[in-house]
Amino acid sequence: MFIQVIQGKVADSERLQAQMDRWVRELQPGATGWLGSTGGTTDDGTYVCTVRFESEEAARRNSDRPEQGAWWADTESCFAGPVTFIDCPDVSEWLQGGSDEAGFVQVMEGHTSDAARMRELLERSAEEIHRLRPEIIGGTIALQPNGDYVETVYFTDEAQARAHESAEMPAPLAEAMREEQEVMGTVTYLDLHHPWLVSASR
């Protein structure tokens, strides 16, 4: 899997959502290799969207389509300022990976000094975390070669996620989580209270 992260400050949220819906309706049928998208706007007006493709080649193919270029030229005006595109060629999933039924999504961005260890700790403790926090559906970890990462976590609903944030964990799991937080470094949290979730038909 390959993930491209699109991020920027929103100037017109309603029009942006209309443009995203238009992409699914008009452009998605021709986007070979597109798997799905998870997006939304945070409380401070930052829009973030993680777009999943089967491969980097599929993402490039989509970007090169004339209709994609025309759509983006129109969509870009929905933002107040520059929009960043982050390409992540190293992607892994944990638990279910994600769900279009999620009621709350949290995107975490940061830089890790040990990507392999971060992924190992998360995957090793995922099942036990899910037993303690069943509202966690799963997530994806998208990495860049320099150690920058974007982790997207899917929850059934925000109320349950907040209620369990401070839940007491068994000592071994708490220690694994502490080490995971260390290797994740400083994290920026982007909370999507009303996520826009869409996936390709299987």
Side-chain angles (χ1 to χ4, degrees):
M1 189 189 297
F2 176 86
I3 282 182
Q4 184 175 72
V5 184
I6 305 167
Q7 189 169 325
K9 289 290 186 179
V10 178
D12 188 336
S13 58
E14 288 188 9
R15 183 165 169 267
L16 177 59
Q17 186 58 61
Q19 284 293 99
M20 294 301 174
D21 292 340
R22 178 189 154 211
W23 188 92
V24 173
R25 188 174 60 252
E26 299 178 6
L27 279 77
Q28 184 271 327
T32 304
W34 172 82
L35 299 176
S37 301
T38 296
T41 304
T42 65
D43 290 338
D44 72 351
T46 299
Y47 180 83
V48 60
C49 185
T50 59
V51 188
R52 307 182 302 279
F53 289 92
E54 289 178 352
S55 65
E56 185 171 3
E57 180 186 3
R60 297 285 171 261
R61 219 170 30 238
N62 178 68
S63 295
D64 290 342
R65 293 191 298 160
E67 59 269 38
Q68 177 70 24
W71 173 85
W72 177 248
D74 193 22
T75 303
E76 193 171 17
S77 62
C78 297
F79 291 90
V83 180
T84 60
F85 292 83
I86 306 170
D87 291 337
C88 301
D90 183 0
V91 178
S92 60
E93 298 178 288
W94 51 276
L95 292 179
Q96 295 182 36
S99 171
D100 287 354
E101 301 304 313
F104 173 60
V105 172
Q106 191 168 66
V107 179
M108 292 174 280
E109 299 178 344
H111 177 87
T112 179
S113 57
D114 192 339
R117 182 61 175 162
M118 181 182 79
R119 186 157 43 199
E120 177 190 354
L121 287 164
L122 180 57
E123 292 174 353
R124 190 175 69 187
S125 58
E127 291 293 343
E128 189 172 357
I129 290 173
H130 185 62
R131 282 194 293 272
L132 291 170
R133 299 189 56 181
E135 83 281 3
I136 298 177
I137 298 169
T140 60
I141 303 174
L143 285 152
Q144 293 182 276
N146 66 356
D148 288 350
Y149 65 84
V150 178
E151 182 178 1
T152 307
V153 184
Y154 299 75
F155 302 84
T156 55
D157 67 87
E158 185 172 3
Q160 289 295 312
R162 299 303 183 194
H164 292 154
E165 278 180 340
S166 57
E168 187 173 346
M169 296 184 179
L173 181 58
E175 177 59 25
M177 294 297 292
R178 182 197 61 76
E179 184 181 352
E180 182 186 334
Q181 289 172 356
E182 286 184 357
V183 297
M184 288 180 73
T186 302
V187 181
T188 298
Y189 294 88
L190 301 168
D191 292 341
L192 307 183
H193 307 291
H194 306 287
W196 175 73
L197 304 155
V198 60
S199 296
S201 301
R202 298 294 183 181

